[in-house]
Amino acid sequence: MKIVFLFILTFLSAIGNCQDVPFNKNYQVACHNCYMPEYNSLTDVFSFTKAIEIDIWDNFQGSGSLLRAGKKMNQDWFVKHDFWVKGNLNCCGGSFRDCLLTIKKWADIHKDHDIITVFIDKKENWSESYETRKPKDFDELICSVIGKQNILTPSILLADKTNLKEAVLSNYWPLLDSLKGKFIFVITNGSEFTDRNPLNEYLFNQNNEAVCFVAPEITSESEIKSPLGVLPKNAENIIFYNLNYKDRNLAININSIGCISRVFNLPIPETSEAYAELNKDKVNFIVFSNLQINKQ
């Protein structure tokens, strides 16, 4: 069974990573919480996938109206999974900036790397106006480390269209080969205990200056057009979607309009059957914890 599993993954990965296909027709295993201590280094996962996830928090320990211990960072965020964990006990020193520096150092050595997709799970709201963890600060931090010229930004994909959904329907996605050495950043919403929507706020504030795409978690077909908590104008610029495994059937619809899906929370144990099913359903990013199964 293990040999068959590896054969299937190798075969599908070879198809999905063909460099003459557009970005939205590439299907691959993605890493879950790649900053966690079980990985020796954040960049170790690049031997298996070029799609990673980093969770960020404003608070050193605590969230929102809960415990707020320690100082908050200046134009930076703590990297950790749960609010009760102290950020500086995680990999990369617990800093989003440090994670970016780690990735950039690896990329400078491997200059011809396939495009690296970085999913950032925003665990808390953006900071207040008098603080320095707003959408603008976030984009400035990414550009200061990675370099905007190295990033596939929404404005590049938009080109002469009025919104991103129109652009992807017009097949504006670039080919993988043209994206070598590049990065793409996608924000997901992991916030709790709040009635705010960090993704909607990001799109509203950054508009055409956005460095990142956003990927709301949706549970119904109607939310592809109108994600909950997102203004209609902002929804027109959403082309990435986050799906719980139970809602994986939506991936086909997402793919049909040129958009991107990411499926997480796969059943345990992770199986070759689950991977094959999601690949067949045209899921672009299939989130696995055990990346060894995708070793080439």
Side-chain angles (χ1 to χ4, degrees):
M1 176 62 73
K2 183 177 181 180
I3 294 174
V4 173
F5 189 6
L6 289 173
F7 173 79
I8 292 172
L9 288 174
T10 302
F11 176 73
L12 292 174
S13 180
I15 294 174
N17 290 321
C18 181
Q19 297 299 306
D20 62 352
V21 300
F23 182 85
N24 67 316
K25 299 301 181 184
N26 185 40
Y27 313 106
Q28 61 178 295
V29 166
C31 177
H32 178 238
N33 294 339
C34 319
Y35 55 86
M36 295 294 280
E38 52 259 37
Y39 300 106
N40 293 326
S41 168
L42 180 62
T43 56
D44 281 356
V45 304
F46 290 149
S47 298
F48 312 103
T49 179
K50 297 301 185 294
I52 65 174
E53 179 191 19
I54 300 172
D55 294 355
I56 62 170
W57 297 73
D58 276 39
N59 286 287
F60 176 70
Q61 193 174 31
S63 174
S65 61
L66 300 178
L67 176 64
R68 297 186 179 189
K71 295 181 179 179
K72 298 178 183 179
M73 293 188 181
N74 178 25
Q75 204 177 30
D76 201 355
W77 287 260
F78 292 106
V79 173
K80 54 181 181 173
H81 184 56
D82 296 309
F83 74 87
W84 59 82
V85 175
K86 295 180 180 179
N88 65 343
L89 295 181
N90 266 69
C91 293
C92 302
S95 163
F96 183 51
R97 182 187 298 274
D98 287 343
C99 287
L100 292 174
L101 288 168
T102 299
I103 296 167
K104 184 60 164 59
K105 181 178 180 180
W106 183 94
D108 287 343
I109 296 172
H110 305 84
K111 295 185 182 297
D112 199 39
H113 63 79
D114 291 340
I115 185 168
I116 295 173
T117 304
V118 183
F119 289 95
I120 306 109
D121 200 23
K122 188 75 174 69
K123 294 291 191 176
E124 294 184 271
N125 295 320
W126 301 104
S127 73
E128 302 302 328
S129 58
Y130 57 86
E131 295 180 300
T132 57
R133 292 172 309 283
K134 303 180 294 295
K136 183 175 182 290
D137 301 308
F138 189 71
D139 282 359
E140 288 178 355
L141 171 58
I142 292 174
C143 290
S144 71
V145 176
I146 302 298
K148 192 171 183 178
Q149 72 278 8
N150 298 316
I151 303 171
L152 176 61
T153 62
S155 62
I156 292 174
L157 192 61
L158 182 66
D160 61 347
K161 298 301 180 181
T162 58
N163 61 68
L164 288 175
K165 276 199 169 65
E166 183 183 346
V168 297
L169 278 171
S170 301
N171 298 315
Y172 270 35
W173 283 108
L175 299 179
L176 291 177
D177 193 54
S178 70
L179 295 173
K180 282 187 174 292
K182 301 292 186 181
F183 296 80
I184 188 168
F185 291 88
V186 186
I187 308 171
T188 59
N189 182 10
S191 63
E192 299 178 358
F193 315 113
T194 178
D195 56 0
R196 292 168 59 183
N197 187 319
L199 305 187
N200 186 62
E201 291 182 19
Y202 177 82
L203 293 174
F204 180 82
N205 283 277
Q206 294 305 90
N207 202 0
N208 291 335
E209 298 300 316
V211 170
C212 305
F213 297 85
V214 305
E217 182 181 344
I218 64 172
T219 60
S220 67
E221 186 175 351
S222 63
E223 290 179 69
I224 298 174
K225 181 179 180 180
S226 303
L228 299 178
V230 176
L231 294 173
K233 182 179 179 180
N234 290 337
E236 293 177 345
N237 288 310
I238 290 178
I239 55 175
F240 282 77
Y241 296 90
N242 218 12
L243 301 174
N244 197 301
Y245 180 73
K246 64 182 177 60
D247 301 309
R248 61 194 180 279
N249 61 300
L250 296 174
I252 289 286
N253 305 79
I254 291 168
N255 182 269
S256 69
I257 58 172
C259 294
I260 304 288
S261 63
R262 173 182 181 266
V263 169
F264 65 96
N265 202 25
L266 271 70
I268 302 297
E270 297 165 336
T271 65
S272 58
E273 290 80 11
Y275 180 89
E277 172 200 7
L278 294 171
N279 197 284
K280 181 181 177 182
D281 288 343
K282 301 186 183 304
V283 175
N284 298 96
F285 297 100
I286 304 169
V287 178
F288 270 68
S289 294
N290 179 16
L291 298 179
Q292 294 289 337
I293 62 174
N294 199 36
K295 186 175 182 180
Q296 301 296 306

